[in-house]
Amino acid sequence: MKTSIATRASAAVGIAAIGLLGLSACGGSMDEGSEGSGAEQSQEAGGMEEGGSSEEAMDEGSSEEGMEEGSSGGSMDLVGAGCEAYAEQVPEGDGSVEGMAQDPVATAASNNPMLTTLTSAVSGELNPDVDLVDTLNGDEFTVIAPVDDAFEAVPEEDLSALAEDSDMLTDVLTYHVIPGQLSPDEIVGEHETVQGDTVTIEGEGEDMMFDDAGLVCGGVTTSNATVYMVDSVLMPQM
């Protein structure tokens, strides 16, 4: 912080003369010196006041910047009835809101204990011919991410058939991916997916629906994507 520096001037006192005239002259010089000191004190006080104003301005700027950084971190944009439960289940670490923000989306999802089945599906574990990790990590996307409970609701025979058909599995997974990052204020509407069909998002706030899937928690940001966790697996038109 810059501080105003008062310029100090030294008042030259004339050589004292003998007599009342000389004393008067000395008295005048002292008065001038006193006035100079007062001016200096005034300048110093002014400098301190200016410094205080600058410091206050910096403090206010820092506070505003902190608020803006907090907003851009994603946590302020979360929407969904399940966000509180998510925060309680994963309060910190790589799978938390703050942790996911540090990694690209496929990596971030792999650290989230609510997305283990989706992670195995996109990473080649479910079917070695379907590995979308590099694709998902390589560009900006909006990812509709079914939580583990959503996959558990799918009949086992249907899930097994899906896992064995690499083309169908790829279609289903890429239907959950929209090019570009869409915030909660932008997500409502019809959007073409990477698979090619259109997904429809309707409603507001925690009542948003992604086709027939309900929102669990959305607006979770990663380093390259925005994630909306949902309670059902979406199916494209086949």
Side-chain angles (χ1 to χ4, degrees):
M1 178 177 68
K2 295 182 179 179
T3 304
S4 299
I5 302 175
T7 304
R8 300 183 176 277
S10 299
V13 181
I15 300 175
I18 299 174
L20 183 59
L21 182 60
L23 291 173
S24 299
C26 287
S29 297
M30 291 176 66
D31 291 341
E32 290 174 0
S34 299
E35 292 174 0
S37 298
E40 292 170 6
Q41 292 175 359
S42 177
Q43 289 178 352
E44 290 175 355
M48 292 176 65
E49 290 175 358
E50 290 176 3
S53 298
S54 299
E55 187 173 358
E56 290 174 2
M58 289 184 65
D59 290 341
E60 291 174 0
S62 299
S63 299
E64 291 176 0
E65 183 178 355
M67 290 176 65
E68 290 174 359
E69 290 177 354
S71 299
S72 64
S75 60
M76 299 297 290
D77 292 332
L78 296 183
V79 59
C83 289
E84 184 176 352
Y86 166 42
E88 291 177 355
Q89 182 176 350
V90 195
E92 59 184 12
D94 293 338
S96 66
V97 172
E98 292 78 8
M100 288 185 68
Q102 308 304 313
D103 296 313
V105 64
T107 305
S110 70
N111 293 321
N112 189 324
M114 298 174 65
L115 301 175
T116 60
T117 305
L118 177 63
T119 296
S120 66
V122 301
S123 65
E125 293 181 20
L126 201 61
N127 184 319
D129 293 329
V130 180
D131 187 343
L132 304 177
V133 171
D134 290 341
T135 299
L136 291 173
N137 284 349
D139 208 338
E140 292 191 358
F141 296 108
T142 295
V143 177
I144 305 167
V147 297
D148 289 344
D149 289 344
F151 283 97
E152 291 177 4
V154 178
E156 185 175 351
E157 58 181 20
D158 292 343
L159 192 60
S160 297
L162 182 62
E164 294 173 1
D165 189 329
S166 58
D167 289 337
M168 184 181 297
L169 179 59
T170 299
D171 282 344
V172 170
L173 293 175
T174 53
Y175 181 67
H176 289 76
V177 182
I178 302 169
Q181 295 193 58
L182 298 173
S183 70
D185 292 335
E186 302 168 324
I187 190 67
V188 173
E190 294 185 349
H191 304 282
E192 184 176 350
T193 67
V194 171
Q195 179 266 345
D197 286 345
T198 299
V199 62
T200 301
I201 298 96
E202 299 176 314
E204 295 181 359
E206 63 184 40
D207 295 324
M208 276 195 287
M209 297 292 295
F210 295 70
D211 284 348
D212 295 327
L215 177 65
V216 175
C217 183
V220 181
T221 59
T222 73
S223 64
N224 73 314
T226 303
V227 179
Y228 294 83
M229 292 184 283
V230 296
D231 61 9
S232 300
V233 178
L234 309 186
M235 295 298 292
Q237 300 173 359
M238 294 182 179

